[in-house]
Amino acid sequence: MNHGQRGRLITLEGGEGAGKSTLLRGLEAHLRAQDIDLVVTREPGGTAVGEAVRGMVLDAANNELCAEAELLLMFASRAQLVRQVIEPALAAGRWVLCDRFTDASYAYQGGGRGQPVDRISGLEQWAALGLRPDITLLLDLPVSEGRARAAGRGEADRIEVEGDAFFERIRRAYRERAVGDPGRFRVLDASATPDAVLAQAVAGVSGLVAGVSP
Ligand code: Z5A
């Protein structure tokens, strides 16, 4: 489906174990079934450079990484992804479904690590070209539930080793962003079954899919 229009950007956000990867698979299938020409990607990552950055920031051995370097690395991955993948796809009329985007930097590096919001928004304008998603699906879940789900997955990465207070700040930051931008955010009850979460997501993007502005 490309009527010569710019494509749309949909992002998935949430805390650890919220079910983004699970939802992504279902939502991808739903959008493709609507004949939407879709690019699926993730952050940090999505390009060769970005995946190398991902390895660096998630490697538990890099425990000396400071908060400022972490923030810049997230935006290094994003700068590459926006220019190499997302912008060309949108310009060609393709849709992009991205597992995390700039809201994650506001939540994790801002809320979680205490990095100043004005620094993050400056980077958003410069490194990410001020690009904002058309719709952001926020999977909201109590921290304890998300952590219990994620615990079954084996060894924790460098960010997952943080304590509950860190993840509570992240949840709060995400929810505040959703309140501040209700036209863009759809807050999903991620404690529901996977099918019910998908149904909420499908409802959340239905206006966009129907060609109605969000
Ligand atoms: N990060 C950052 O700090 N700053 C940034 O700017 C960006 C990222 C972009 C990598 O992200 C890390 O990078 C992440 C934030 C940071 N660090 N942390 N923590 P990621 O998205 O790749 O990794 P993640 O946040 O750790 O996601 P995740 O833990 O892999 O979870 P998920 O994808 O949201 O969940 P899932 O794999 O779909 O589900 C987890 C488990 O729950 C699994 O066993 C499922 O079968 C189960 N599940 C899923 N849905 C349900 C429902 N509805 N009910 C019951 N069980 C379910």
Side-chain angles (χ1 to χ4, degrees), residues 15 17 25 50 54 58 65 78 82 103 106 115 156 179-180:
R25 288 190 289 275
R54 182 183 181 90
L58 296 185
L65 191 70
R78 185 165 301 130
V82 165
D103 294 299
Y106 283 102
Q115 289 300 292
V179 168

Side-chain angles (χ1 to χ4, degrees), residues 133-144:
D134 294 282
I135 295 274
T136 296
L137 300 170
L138 172 58
L139 285 85
D140 184 52
L141 187 69
V143 168
S144 55

Side-chain angles (χ1 to χ4, degrees), residues 34 49 61 72 81 98 108 115-116 141 162 188 191:
Q34 313 305 306
V49 166
L72 290 168
L81 185 69
C98 192
Y108 280 78
Q115 289 300 292
L141 187 69
E162 293 292 337
L188 313 187
S191 66

Side-chain angles (χ1 to χ4, degrees), residues 17 19-22 54 78 100 105 108-109 149 153 192:
K20 291 177 292 82
S21 311
T22 304
R54 182 183 181 90
R78 185 165 301 130
R100 296 197 186 279
S105 294
Y108 280 78
Q109 283 65 55
R149 286 183 188 173
R153 263 188 329 209

